[in-house]
Amino acid sequence: MRLSRAEYKEIARWTEQLRPTRQCMKMLKDRYPHHSQSTLLSIFSLEYQKRTKRTMSRHHVPDVMERYYQRYLSESKVRPTAPVLLELANEVDLSPALMARIILDRFLMDMDGGMPSKTILNSMLKEPSLIQDHILANNIYQCTINDCCYGPLVDCIKHAVGQEHEVLLRDKLMERNLSFLDENQLRTMGYDKTPDIILEVPVAVEGHIIHWIESKASFGDDHSHRTYLNEQFWSYWNRFGPGLVIYWYGFIEELDCQRDRGLDPSMRRPLGHHGVDRQQWLPLSGPTLTPSHPCGAKQLSPCVQLNSTLLPGHGTLRHQFMAPVGHKNRAILHREEEKKISIEQEQNKWKTADSVPLKFQAFLSLFSKMTVATKSS
Amino acid sequence: MAALLESVLLRKVDVDKVVDWLKSVQEGEKLSFSEPQLAIQKQEFVPFLLNFLREQSSDALTNGPATPAKTPSRPRPPAQTQGFSDKTSCRSAGSGLGSRGASRVQLFSPAASASPGNESDAVGQSGVGGVSAFCSPPWSTGWSPASRPSGSERKHAQKVCLGDYMVSSPELQSSTSSQTHKGRKKSAGSTPVGGQTRHGGGRGGPQSDEAGGRRSARGGGGHGRMSEQVSPSTPAHLNFNNLEDFPPVGSCPVSSGTSKPSRRINPTPVSEDRPHSKPKTCFTSTPLQKASSPPLGVEPLEGLTAVGSPMSLKEERELLKKEKTKLAQQAASLSPFSLDPCTPTKTGTGTESKVTPDPQTTCPEPSKVTFSSDLDVLAELYCTCISENLVPNVYLELFFVMQLLTSRSLHTHNDEEQLSLCSVNSDVLERCYLRQVHNCVYFAVKVLENQFQLVAHLDKCTLRLLAENERVASFSPDLKDRLSQAQNRSTAKLSPSASTFIHSVPFQPATDNRSNFGSDKAFHTFKKQRDVFYEALREWEDLHKEPGWNFDAALGTKIRGMMSQLTSAGNHSHFARLFLKQLVQMCKGPRTSTLSVDTTDADLLGMLGADSLGRLKRLEERLIQPHRVVGPCPPPSFPGHQEFFRDFIQTASCCQMNQHLQDSLCQQLLHLDEVSILRPSASVGEGEEEEDGDMEQQDEKQRFSSVLLLARLLAKFLGFISFLPYQTSEKPSREIQEASVALRSKSVQVLDVCAVLSNSVRRRRTILTVPWLVEFLSMLDFIGPLLLCYRVALGTLLLLYRRLQLNRHEEMCYLNKLLLVSVLGWLFQIPVIPEDIFFTSEFTSLVKDEGSATGSAGLDCIPLVDQQLLYTCCPFLGEFRKLLAAFVSGSAAKSGGIIRKITPTSAELKGTPTANRSQQKLQVDLEQAFFHNQPPSLRRTVEFVAERVGSNAVKHIKATLVQELVQRGEKMLRDGLQSSNANSSKLNDSICAQLCDVGLEALAKATRFCDDKSPDAIRILLPVETTAPVLSTSENITKRLAAEKACSWLSANITALIRREWKSRYDRVKKALGGPVAPDSVDTDSAVVELVRQGQMNTPRKKQERAMSCPPLCKHNASLPSDVLIEIKEMLSIAAGPRTDEELPTGPQLTALLQRVTNTLECRKFLTAVSEQMLQNCTVLLACKLVSGELPLRSSSRRGGVAVDPGAGSEPSVSDVLEQLAELWERGCCSSAPLHQLFTPLTVAAVLKASDTEKKNYLFLVRKLVDKGILNKEEVESYWRKLTDLTLPAELMENFQLQSQSIKLSLPLAEMQSCLDMLQVSHQTIEGAT
């Protein structure tokens, strides 16, 4: 699922009015029926986090927090069963889960006099029944359970999503007989930086050689991509060469395109579509995934054929629309997107080849949302 | 010296005698001839001859950069004769002095002359100094116009220039105004000369120095020509409008339509000012010319009008005529070359001059050559100097000759006039031997003929250009033929070689993981350093071409910050290793300079594939880069990425790092220097065909060239770092020099160059050592060469150079020698190397010692160098091609012909479809990529095995196929001879042809052989633990490499091999006629393959299985934990509210959800501890919400109605759901569900608050739990007990107490107990009750 930056911006702008509640997802979905829920949630979450970072300082002032607390106290007294805290959070445009934290923090301070420990605070947020004040406990629970961007359950879901996609990725690779080392193995070998996957035998994806794969179960927007580049991708590049990043929930088409000045725009055309498992993921894939390439799903465009004599049982990680944003010598990156790694074995006689000064010496490629073919089968 | 030359030219001395003298090995030997006082040293004669030739041709040479020879300053004429020869010798002596700064390539600021007394002299004489010091862009542009010793002081005409007015001298007064413009036309930049000035020779008068200096400082000037009249001149009026006299600062040389081509002062910024490719300058262009295309044809007129000086009508008419022709020409051909500024006509010079319809050049004709016999003599002497390596740089001389060949002097003088003009002069040395283009070409062709072997080793393209040169054809058809032949033989194609596409140094656990660091901190610091380093590298790549980007400003802070962190962590050694590895990775290949071309879109190029890519690049180069002929002596430079590493070192200026780098470089270098290269087996050593080496020989060659290139790179950086502390932009004064020498000679040098060198000479390994030593020494600072160790090293190198006469047949093969001669010649022309070193005899003694020791097994005798390597090491050899191409484009424009610059090269494809090219490229890249993150030993093993197997394949073919073929041939021969007493030689031919055809099977056989043998060898050599994919990939790569190796050798050699074998067999058969010949013994497989046979490898280990396991037959198709979590979260948030009734779940919905939860929890595939726990937690919470009634079920039948409808038909009730939950928890997968939450005050309070139904449900659930053994009674009781003990907040406490009392009331302890008992006994009753 690739979005143009303009599209992304539009969604982002629209989310500005939303509160991170259960209801907002419905609104988003109604508004953008063509995008998958995960993508929308991921985008909203990213944008909401940015918003929170922007505004958090406003709420994190002692007298403001005190005011919230006092308001909560008075209102909950009046209406003990009403979702007082949730309403308050929405009113001041603060994430309910964060509001819950502030109030609980303040409450515990009242109770114990001192600063409550973080562990206690977190465990109480996780299990509100530990809170002795039942009204507060209910309010807190109401806040954390309704918040779709923050809170222990959301964190857990995010974690789970990340893990699952790593498993999916490993599955995919194993399915294709691609041999790799995963993060844990790398760590035990003493690597200082560990991508999710290092391929023991590199493969080419759409004509680009990749050594490592990083799985990101989120949407790739400019900000997060930039951050990842600085904190992870370049480090991987520095050690292992070019690699691939998968943004499972899509990414911005023009990602990092400031690096590809002078790229012929025609080169950005998709090379072909194919092989998307539409049953499972149709709602996520959107109209871009119509298999329109004449080759059909089982054929590769010429540039990605891989030699079976060289890599028996190995093939090309292939997926659509991969148009690397090359960068001169070193080529950098990116783009990619949608679904499905399909690997094929080509019979291709390998003749002596001139070795070539390769222009795209390295690049990171991104693609998102691999199909979960296994699930449908 | 002059006298000697004079005598030779006058035939007083036999040329042969002189030649013999030049050839004699005795270094110090002097030649004495007729006049006894003349004893001449070779070191003196040679520079004199060189200077003489340069001077002679100075008029004619308008193309290309100046080719000054580095002439010595020291040798003074020991004796002076009278007359002209006296003057000339003075001149040359003077020039010698002046040449300190002048007569060499000046890329660096000129060295000041040695003594103050000479200072003015130097400046005055050698425009160069001034030019490069004042206005030519330093360093980068290539050549400063190094003028040769000005012979101009004797020229009578002079040019008016500002300097002339500053100090008026009698001489200056002596020219008339009528002479002035003549003078201007003829001379630029000549020193004012009177009769006596000449006697001053090089020293000149202060005025003349001044003037010369000024002129050269202006960046312009020329030199005079001899004029027939000597008449007193007076200064002309100072005309500030005269652009010639007052050119704009920094402009191109003084020129106007009336001036003549000047070569002495060669304006450097050619490339900037004229994008259209002309190497040399021009006088047609006005100084105001800008980089943008000048208005064609108009300038000369403007120039004229601007010139206020009087001008004769006639001249003006001539000029107009010329303009007309020019305009007409432009109209005819819009080629930019038609206005080639280099090839203007010289009009208006002579009063009688004709304007030819073709103003371009006079076409040289053999018939118009004058003084041909004298030219022969000169050529012979000159060639002797070249072949005896008496000249400092052989290629420089060759370049000079090429310039002569392509000269475009535009003399349209009447030939008669010219002739008389020249012959009138009685002094042989004053004759204009090389003034006319006819003579120049004649001379050049003579020399080329003589030096044919040297020429023949140039690259194919150059040879072709030379062979197609019309001048060569007309002057020596024979030479043309030989050139064409040589062209066919030449193998050197300057193919772009591969660069590995991976730019980062792989992380290798063996050297890079934590255990290699002293502390965690050091480890983590280095982790960051690596990233910072690459960040800097990337930034440099992206931005360093941007105008105004400055390395230090942009990256300085980052790099220095990094250095200080390194220092505090003590990680320098790690960083130095990374740095060097990266350096080698990026810069080792020959293709270091291509970065400039890399602006092309990477993807586009990627699509094109190898072949087209190279062509595209070359095409692009041609289109974009003007032919900048910079001559064969470029200064040392750091092309491509090397620049980054140099700047990094400079900017970091971190002594610790430098020390580590130095240590490491030194160690690696010395290690490389010791590398053993095997000598080819003696049998092949015939040496007549260089290409026909054995396979092993080719491999060794390749290895050698890789070692050599690496060593050169490392040596350059070692030199750079070692001499970095001493670099100065200017040559220090003598006092400072002496002080520094005294100081520095006390400390030990980083590399004992003398030892290395003498060791290498002794062991005959100079072919490896010298090229890298040259790189090292090229980095010397100004003081360096004065230190004893380096001076001795330079001296040794010099002697070595002298001994490497190319045409002498020694054990060292030609190309080896050529490489050495070429790099040494280059070294001697580098500015920091003192010029006096070349023409001294102070090192003679050394050579004797060295020469005596003989080690026959050295590298020098192995043919290791090929043309490719030669051109890689000496890229400046490409200058010849540029020069000739520039000439071609010029002359083609003249004749209206097509400019053929692009040589079509299409032959290499060998039937490979182009579509596969990118494929193949990808394959090769994949291989590279594969090796990148594997341990280096893997690659070595693969390469080793491939090489061995490939070699064995060839041996195998030789032993089987070839023998078989030969035997078959023998049979055919015998049959043939028996049957029809046919012509045996014809039979021989036909059999041979048949055999060769069949021989092509060898390729397929070899490939099969490699496929068979490689995998076994690889398997046994790689570690047992290697995983299967890695192993099989390695096997496949090995197969391919081996087959490639074998096939490439076979396809090139199989025919020759069969022929050779067949020939010997044929001869034998013929001789014996019937003697059966046993085939040679069979194939000897090498040890590796043998080994393979012995044992099979055990299969590599399996990847370890996932620890958690699903139930058997699990299809892993449960919902993902995250998805289920999201659903449950939704449900819980509905329960927690606020909500609308529509949102409430129906019973079936809830059961379905729980079913999914169950499935998900059972399949462990996607579960992690965290998600599993959270999922279980959520189920418990869900149960709480259900039992407390906070999440009522919606009846699906009744829309909108909220009904707790426990027993309604098929709809699952709350209790059904609860039962489902209990079943879920009962499963092993949920053993750790946080069931305690069912008993928290919050839950219980909620239950108690709700209706009886809820209480019942609660009890029902608890009973279920106990029933199923999920909880035992004690646990439940203790939970409840806790509830009563709980100290709750006051206001709630009351409520809770009340509620719990009510529990107690309704369910007193005993009752509760009985209740529980009841539950235990039969739950049906309860169910019935509900």
Side-chain angles (χ1 to χ4, degrees), chain A residues 134-154:
Chain A
H134 285 198
I135 297 179
L136 180 64
N138 280 327
N139 268 302
I140 297 281
Y141 184 66
Q142 224 161 26
C143 281
T144 53
I145 200 74
N146 271 299
D147 196 323
C148 66
C149 291
Y150 289 91
L153 192 47
V154 173

Side-chain angles (χ1 to χ4, degrees), chain B residues 60 226 274 323 673 770 896 947 1024:
Chain B
M226 190 170 139
R274 50 193 64 243
E323 283 316 311
D673 195 47
V770 169
E947 188 218 299
V1024 184

Side-chain angles (χ1 to χ4, degrees), chain A residues 113-142:
Chain A
M115 284 286 279
S117 84
K118 258 215 152 97
T119 337
I120 294 178
L121 196 66
N122 283 335
S123 61
M124 284 187 168
L125 283 172
K126 219 185 258 175
E127 211 182 306
S129 54
L130 296 175
I131 303 169
Q132 289 157 351
D133 183 335
H134 285 198
I135 297 179
L136 180 64
N138 280 327
N139 268 302
I140 297 281
Y141 184 66
Q142 224 161 26

Side-chain angles (χ1 to χ4, degrees), chain A residues 10-68:
Chain A
E10 204 230 298
I11 297 177
R13 205 172 314 118
W14 196 76
T15 59
E16 272 169 32
Q17 47 162 336
L18 296 180
R19 300 288 183 263
T21 57
R22 176 156 52 87
Q23 291 78 13
C24 82
M25 274 324 296
K26 273 197 195 81
M27 296 164 79
L28 265 173
K29 231 174 142 183
D30 292 346
R31 167 96 194 187
Y32 301 101
H34 295 305
H35 298 308
S36 82
Q37 184 164 344
S38 338
T39 302
L40 290 172
L41 180 59
S42 185
I43 292 176
F44 177 64
S45 180
L46 286 170
E47 285 305 310
Y48 192 76
Q49 281 171 36
K50 283 182 218 164
R51 191 156 106 201
T52 305
K53 263 182 209 144
R54 265 201 320 270
T55 57
M56 198 53 196
S57 56
R58 225 187 317 136
H59 305 289
H60 245 286
V61 184
D63 56 330
V64 175
M65 292 193 289
E66 185 61 29
R67 205 166 63 229
Y68 294 159

Side-chain angles (χ1 to χ4, degrees), chain A residues 22 142 146 164 171 200 211 234-235 238-239 259 302 305-307 309-310 327 330 350 353 356 358 361, chain B residues 501 504 531 534 538 541-542 610 919-920 923 925-927 929 934 1027 1036 1122 1133 1136-1138 1143 1165:
Chain A
R22 176 156 52 87
Q142 224 161 26
N146 271 299
E164 288 157 16
D171 265 11
E200 278 195 305
H211 288 273
W234 282 127
S235 295
N238 296 341
R239 287 159 180 77
R259 282 210 162 268
Q305 290 168 346
L306 244 218
N307 180 328
T309 52
L310 167 64
H327 173 254
R330 154 175 33 95
W350 195 6
V356 176
L358 234 208
Q361 310 292 9
Chain B
F501 71 104
S504 65
D531 292 330
Y534 282 110
R538 278 191 291 270
E541 280 188 341
D542 287 351
Q919 204 62 43
Q920 293 174 357
Q923 289 295 330
D925 292 343
L926 271 171
E927 272 183 24
Q934 296 290 344
T1027 54
N1036 286 312
S1122 60
S1133 65
E1143 288 178 305
K1165 189 171 166 70

Side-chain angles (χ1 to χ4, degrees), chain B residues 392-395 632 708 712 766-775 778 797 800-801 804 816-830 869-870 872-877:
Chain B
N393 184 338
V394 169
Y395 276 112
L708 182 70
R712 276 165 46 97
T766 49
I767 187 60
L768 176 58
T769 310
V770 169
W772 72 254
L773 266 186
V774 163
E775 289 290 313
S778 73
L797 287 176
L800 195 66
Y801 173 78
L804 288 169
N816 286 11
K817 275 198 271 186
L818 201 55
L819 176 66
L820 292 184
V821 165
S822 173
V823 293
L824 286 172
W826 174 77
L827 178 69
F828 298 139
Q829 293 292 324
I830 284 174
L869 183 60
L870 177 67
T872 310
C873 292
C874 312
F876 45 84
L877 295 182

